[in-house]
Amino acid sequence: MESTRIAEQAEETGAPLTAAEEEQAGYALRELTTKPGDADAALVSREWLTLVQPFFELGWAMGVRTGSTGFAMVGVPVDGATVAHAFAQLNGERAADLLARGLEDPQNAGPSIWQRVRYHGSLTQAHGTYWVSAIHAHGDPVSMVPTRRYDLCELQGETPVPVVSNVRRVSLTPLGEWLTAL
């Protein structure tokens, strides 16, 4: 009976990743992210590899430790489309995060949703101050930096009324005022 463990106690115990697990995961990650036949030609940047490596190692170790990496798939590489999709998802997540925090260009960070802005774009009849009601990001597959466009509105009571849409960042001056609640 002394060797019997309660399930809750078993879940609390564990062991950190071993050097062998980290080494195996590192090898597998490099194998997934290099061009076949050219180990020096990376398909993704070193920045991305650094970002995903801890999660990849964790997933690798969890798969090994739970027995989910059985012999059925030994010698069968993961197809390139699956790898590309995973990194595209990561890029999309990162781009959205950068957009939300305005870090892609800290010197020229755009306004946030429900921030007051002054519009001074090509529609001169619409010049004035408005609230940002939407931000649209359009991806650039080369630079991975999104192009942002803004929708602006006025408030009539508590109802946002669209005024100008698809506004470029250069046509806006963010003001230090945010809408707290409708």
Side-chain angles (χ1 to χ4, degrees):
M1 286 261 181
E2 291 177 8
S3 64
T4 304
R5 296 189 313 183
I6 298 173
E8 289 178 10
Q9 290 175 342
E11 288 179 16
E12 292 176 13
T13 61
L17 299 181
T18 66
E21 288 169 330
E22 289 175 355
E23 182 180 342
Q24 291 169 355
Y27 176 76
L29 183 59
R30 281 188 301 282
E31 190 73 23
L32 283 172
T33 58
T34 57
K35 287 185 179 177
D38 188 359
D40 294 329
L43 297 173
V44 295
S45 70
R46 184 164 303 284
E47 176 190 22
W48 290 114
L49 288 177
T50 301
L51 182 66
V52 302
Q53 186 171 355
F55 297 102
F56 188 88
E57 288 174 353
L58 176 63
W60 182 271
M62 290 173 68
V64 169
R65 291 180 184 192
T66 61
S68 298
T69 57
F71 294 112
M73 298 302 284
V74 169
V76 179
V78 176
D79 68 315
T82 301
V83 175
H85 178 73
F87 277 95
Q89 291 296 105
L90 176 66
N91 286 343
E93 294 286 328
R94 183 171 184 267
D97 185 49
L98 289 173
L99 175 63
R101 291 187 287 146
L103 293 180
E104 67 277 353
D105 183 3
Q107 297 299 322
N108 197 23
S112 59
I113 292 184
W114 298 121
Q115 183 174 3
R116 182 77 118 175
V117 294
R118 180 174 296 112
Y119 172 71
H120 44 80
S122 59
L123 299 174
T124 56
Q125 70 275 15
H127 283 185
T129 57
Y130 303 101
W131 297 103
V132 175
S133 59
I135 302 173
H136 307 279
H138 304 278
D140 181 347
V142 177
S143 70
M144 300 309 293
V145 175
T147 300
R148 294 172 290 177
R149 298 296 175 123
Y150 301 86
D151 291 350
L152 309 178
C153 73
E154 292 179 320
L155 291 179
Q156 291 182 355
E158 294 182 354
T159 306
V161 177
V163 177
V164 186
S165 62
N166 205 30
V167 177
R168 296 179 307 145
R169 168 66 182 98
V170 296
S171 300
L172 299 174
T173 300
L175 304 174
E177 183 180 350
W178 285 266
L179 191 63
T180 55
L182 286 178

